[in-house]
Amino acid sequence: TIDDTRQQLLYQTLVLLLLTAVIGLTIKYRLVRRTRGIVMLSSVVYLGFVSGGCPCMIMSLQDTVLFALGGSASMVAMLWFIGLIPVTYFFGKAWCGWLCHLGGLQDFLFRVSGKKVLTSINAQKTVKWVQVSLFVVLIVQLVITRTNIWVRYDPFKAAFNLIAGNNITYALLAILLVSCVFIYRPFCRMACPVGLVLGWVTNIPGARKLQLA
């Protein structure tokens, strides 16, 4: 039933937020850092291929924006994104680097070649400009259309479910897969709105920044 699905999603979200906090607290220990690959793989398998990559935190962000614009959205749907904000502030940006199945998939694809592209200072500035620009486009789209268009063309959902509903999604999936082999986390660095917002959260005075060494 719908209530059972929402309850399952609520428990899943709370567990993920708790895990993010625990990782943020214990990441300073070398033994914990050595488990990163296992944790990421588990996330990709469960949140990605088992759960179908949906719902995800990007849709949670859009549900939150649409709710703020007067639309309807359940608190459970918004909790994932809203919960990540205080968790990131107090425990650091552990979600993106450890538990995000979207980032994990890109991470493993990149390991196929291990090539380093877009590493110069100018490239980094361009990448950040692109990410901010796409974020603005996303917000404008939500304000104008009041609909979640991302869910129709989500390439990650296609990757995890091994099927897409339209040719645009297949094209985006192809671009994603190819770029991931040559660029480290291209979607995270150039397009992910959640990663951008969480990055802003870590720049708030008093926010915890993770130390890996």
Side-chain angles (χ1 to χ4, degrees), residues 10-20 99:
L10 174 61
Y11 291 153
Q12 173 182 285
T13 302
L14 292 176
V15 169
L16 289 171
L17 292 175
L18 177 60
L19 283 175
T20 303
L99 289 166

Side-chain angles (χ1 to χ4, degrees), residues 17 28 30 48 58 86 93 138 177-178 189 191 208:
L17 292 175
K28 60 184 178 180
R30 183 177 301 178
I58 296 178
K93 197 179 175 183
L138 173 65
L177 296 178
V178 173
R189 296 167 63 192
R208 186 160 187 259

Side-chain angles (χ1 to χ4, degrees), residues 28-124:
K28 60 184 178 180
Y29 300 111
R30 183 177 301 178
L31 180 62
V32 173
R33 296 199 301 273
R34 288 177 177 175
T35 66
R36 179 173 177 265
I38 297 175
V39 174
M40 261 199 318
L41 179 60
S42 300
S43 177
V44 171
V45 171
Y46 178 73
L47 295 178
F49 292 103
V50 174
S51 299
C54 180
C56 71
M57 60 285 172
I58 296 178
M59 283 190 281
S60 180
L61 179 152
Q62 294 189 79
D63 285 337
T64 303
V65 173
L66 291 173
F67 181 80
L69 292 172
S72 60
S74 68
M75 182 54 66
V76 174
M78 298 186 291
L79 179 61
W80 201 335
F81 171 69
I82 293 176
L84 278 174
I85 293 177
V87 168
T88 299
Y89 180 84
F90 289 109
F91 302 101
K93 197 179 175 183
W95 165 260
C96 294
W98 282 70
L99 289 166
C100 178
H101 49 301
L102 310 188
L105 179 64
Q106 296 172 77
D107 213 302
F108 288 119
L109 288 172
F110 178 74
R111 296 185 187 191
V112 173
S113 67
K115 294 183 180 295
K116 295 183 178 181
V117 183
L118 301 179
T119 58
S120 68
I121 295 178
N122 288 334
Q124 292 296 319

